């Protein structure tokens, strides 16, 4: 007898950044953070989990068709262990339930965006794992309760368990029980919010965020000042979102991205994620906002050179026009949201970006998407596992 | 009757950076700073000041042969006015003195380094002006007292009135009377201290330091944390210099440079001075230090992409070898200090810098110099003014 469940989970891009752990084992952050969940129609991780009494040996997991080791005590292992423990509790209190918690698992996960896109896949991947397993086990826990588990797999994964605008509350408890995600507003509250991801080439592999953030915690004299300011910034951001105040959202988003990269630079040895192309995208967005008088776009950068530019649907044509003009991509851009293009604002000073724009491919690709909902449960036909319990070969 | 004096003054490069004014008119800084004075044999500003009763009209000044307006209330005007006032006091108390304070001035100044080198010439230039005028006027004031005047011409100029290792004390008085420079140690205390200036190309003109620093003061949430930490850093730096502790000097220098650029990035809109080549030089120096176990080199960057790498004479051959290997210059480098080259440390990982190094000219030129002394008074034969009171044409 076999049971299985398939779920998808979205990518989220923080506008108040998570950078630093106060507990590295439990993944408890040094500050609360806030993100926008992106539409799974465009970017998603899909995971199928199957429990079968006939499976032999330990649990097994494949990521994009390649088997990954589930290391004892590792992050994947912890997530599976905790969800299985909840299932066991259910089985113990209701003997009619099949003993899924005793059966080995086969898990296959797949990201629909290329690794080369430089988008962190750990958040959506872990969220899809937790969603599929909690569905398989028919767990009654809420998304916030599940987010505590996802957090231990990959900190920011907890935010991918919700759609819309999502806060990860740092919490105060040493056991991490109150360090979890919750929805600030659903996607339907502000559906005009869109994102343009500019995939930027980088010659050099940067510092991993896991090691980088702890180096910042250990060495940056400025980090404590950042942490002291985050609660007020979180409050202001939530208020900007609730009131759909885009200029306030933009100012806070850009300031927080810049401050995150500032504490990276204040780290010893310093950590750099922004390169000359990233800087040029910042200059472009700042100039569009200046020429427009009020901000219509907000850049933010995670632990890499890629820009994510948030803008409302009505303003996205201007942003796309500007980015295409100064950063011609190698891959032609076809816009799934078909917003079109529009002229740059009057008084826009094009000398802020390198004369004539950048060489083709400085920005490799553009991905246009929008705010979206949380994890989705799919049907049997979407299973990533074949009858034999091994991953299907995807075209 | 004419009197004249010619003086040269050195460039200084801060290791604890000045960034932010608490009083923009008096040029009172938000924090103390500390610099190394560089040898005038290599980099200097020269200024001749002449007072002549026969001169007609207002004071006039030429910089590199081009006349500059001495604007009423401007920075040059303030320096001249204050020095003239001290001369007047002397004349009033000793009627035997010629009334130089009543005679118009002609001032010619010349920098021996090209503007294209991207080195701030305002510090050495203002210091040379103050030195030549104070010599012309035979002022009894000490270099520290003169530094208060130079400070009002260009903040960091006050540090160019001393050789060796120089502190600019921020002071507490609202009138700026205690905001002045003093020598921490003379050049002879640590003559092994050398500097390699890497002149880095930049496509884009950066934000001026005058406007940039006040934008940081107005908008950076992290600046106050930086300011709170400077007194301890000053103390540690002075102690490192006094005890000739290069590793401590290097750690403090690099951390302060990075922190200065961090608060620039935390500014709204953000200020960037480091570009991809600057970042690569940082990565190179960090890797040399890592491979060597203890730091033998310290990078620092002012308000531009140029790197200044401090190292002791014995270690400079390694640094020069590494920089030449990864950043071949367009202009061939001839070393006035003839230290030679030396192999990179065992275990040096050359993948930290772009594979095979950067394209020729990413670093335009190298300037190798060392710690040096303070302003020098030259003889009549070095005058920059012709008999007619106009600047001589220099070859």
């Amino acid at each position: 007898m076999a049971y299985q469940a398939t779920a998808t989970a979205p990518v989220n891009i923080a506008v108040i950044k998570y950078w630093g752990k106060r507990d590295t084992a439990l993944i408890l952050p040094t500050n609360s953070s806030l993100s926008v969940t992106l539409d799974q129609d465009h970017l998603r991780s899909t995971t199928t989990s199957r429990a079968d009494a006939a499976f032999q040996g330990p649990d097994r997991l494949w990521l994009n068709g390649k088997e990954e080791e589930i290391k004892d005590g590792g992050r994947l292992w912890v997530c599976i262990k905790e969800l299985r423990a909840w299932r066991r509790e259910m089985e113990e209190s209701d003997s009619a339930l099949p003993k899924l918690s005793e059966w080995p698992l086969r898990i296959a996960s797949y990201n629909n965006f290329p690794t080369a896109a430089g988008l962190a896949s750990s958040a959506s991947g872990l969220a899809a794992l937790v969603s599929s397993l909690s569905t398989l086990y028919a767990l009654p826990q809420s998304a916030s309760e599940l987010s505590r588990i996802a957090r231990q797999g990959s900190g920011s994964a907890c935010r991918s368990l919700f759609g819309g605008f999502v806060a990860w509350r740092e919490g105060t408890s040493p056991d991490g029980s109150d360090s979890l995600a919750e929805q600030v507003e659903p996607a339907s509250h502000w559906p005009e919010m869109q994102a343009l991801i500019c995939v930027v080439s980088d010659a050099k592999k940067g510092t991993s965020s896991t090691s980088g953030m702890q180096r910042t915690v250990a060495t940056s004299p400025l980090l404590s000042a950042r942490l002291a300011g985050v609660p007020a910034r979180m409050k202001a951001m939530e208020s900007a979102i609730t009131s759909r105040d885009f200029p306030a959202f933009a100012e806070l988003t850009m300031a927080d991205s810049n401050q995150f990269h500032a504490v990276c630079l204040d780290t010893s040895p310093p950590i750099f994620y922004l390169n000359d192309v990233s800087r040029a995208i910042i200059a472009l967005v700042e100039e569009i906002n200046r020429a427009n008088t009020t901000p219509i776009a907000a850049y933010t950068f995670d632990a890499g050179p890629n820009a994510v530019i948030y803008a409302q649907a009505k303003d996205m044509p201007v942003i796309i026009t500007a980015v295409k003009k100064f950063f011609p991509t190698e891959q032609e851009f076809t816009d799934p949201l078909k917003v079109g293009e529009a002229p740059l604002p009057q008084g826009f000073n094009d000398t802020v970006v390198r004369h004539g724009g950048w060489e083709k491919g400085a920005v490799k690709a553009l991905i246009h998407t929008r705010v979206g909902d949380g994890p989705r449960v799919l049907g049997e036909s979407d299973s990533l596992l074949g009858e034999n319990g091994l991953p299907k070969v995807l075209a």
Side-chain angles (χ1 to χ4, degrees), chain A residues 19 204-213 215 269-273 303-304:
Chain A
W19 194 251
K204 240 183 102 325
K205 179 92 187 83
T207 310
S208 85
S209 59
T210 301
S211 69
M213 66 172 70
R215 207 159 87 208
I271 301 166
F272 295 95
Y273 292 119

Side-chain angles (χ1 to χ4, degrees), chain A residues 222-274:
Chain A
L222 298 182
L223 180 63
S224 59
R226 163 163 173 74
L227 299 181
V230 168
R233 200 171 260 178
M234 282 290 290
K235 210 172 157 191
M237 181 64 88
E238 290 177 56
S239 153
I241 290 166
T242 298
S243 59
R244 287 184 288 260
D245 177 349
F246 190 85
F249 172 87
E251 297 285 11
L252 291 162
T253 295
M254 296 186 286
D256 198 73
S257 175
N258 291 330
Q259 187 170 84
F260 152 51
H261 292 282
V263 298
C264 287
L265 183 40
D266 188 49
T267 298
S268 176
I271 301 166
F272 295 95
Y273 292 119
L274 305 177

Side-chain angles (χ1 to χ4, degrees), chain A residues 293-353:
Chain A
T293 319
T294 50
I296 55 172
Y299 53 79
T300 187
F301 295 81
D302 281 343
N306 293 341
V308 176
I309 304 176
Y310 285 114
Q312 295 181 99
K314 71 180 173 57
D315 297 315
M316 200 48 102
V318 172
I319 310 306
I320 289 175
T321 304
V323 171
K324 282 177 69 175
K325 176 179 159 77
F326 292 101
F327 303 94
T329 54
E330 239 155 51
Q331 297 171 31
E332 206 184 336
F333 171 60
T334 42
D335 183 1
L337 300 179
K338 296 186 175 60
V339 295
E341 303 200 13
L344 294 177
Q346 281 262 323
F348 177 85
N349 171 9
D350 66 5
T351 67
V352 300
V353 191

Side-chain angles (χ1 to χ4, degrees), chain A residues 22 148 151 169-180:
Chain A
R22 63 180 202 269
R148 290 208 317 254
R151 188 200 76 221
R169 308 295 178 190
E170 59 186 299
T172 54
S173 170
D175 69 0
S177 55
D178 57 355
S179 185
L180 40 76

Side-chain angles (χ1 to χ4, degrees), chain A residues 45-76:
Chain A
S45 294
T46 308
T47 301
T48 299
S49 298
R50 185 185 299 171
D52 189 334
F55 284 149
Q56 299 296 314
D59 300 333
R60 294 176 70 184
L61 180 144
W62 292 265
L63 177 58
N64 291 332
K66 191 174 158 286
E67 183 156 13
E68 301 273 318
E69 196 193 349
I70 303 173
K71 281 193 200 127
D72 269 24
R75 294 175 171 199
L76 288 168

Side-chain angles (χ1 to χ4, degrees), chain A residues 140-162:
Chain A
Q141 275 80 3
S142 70
S144 272
E145 289 172 292
L146 292 172
S147 79
R148 290 208 317 254
I149 310 298
R151 188 200 76 221
Q152 295 173 66
S154 171
S156 55
C158 69
R159 296 186 311 239
S160 276
L161 286 174
F162 291 90

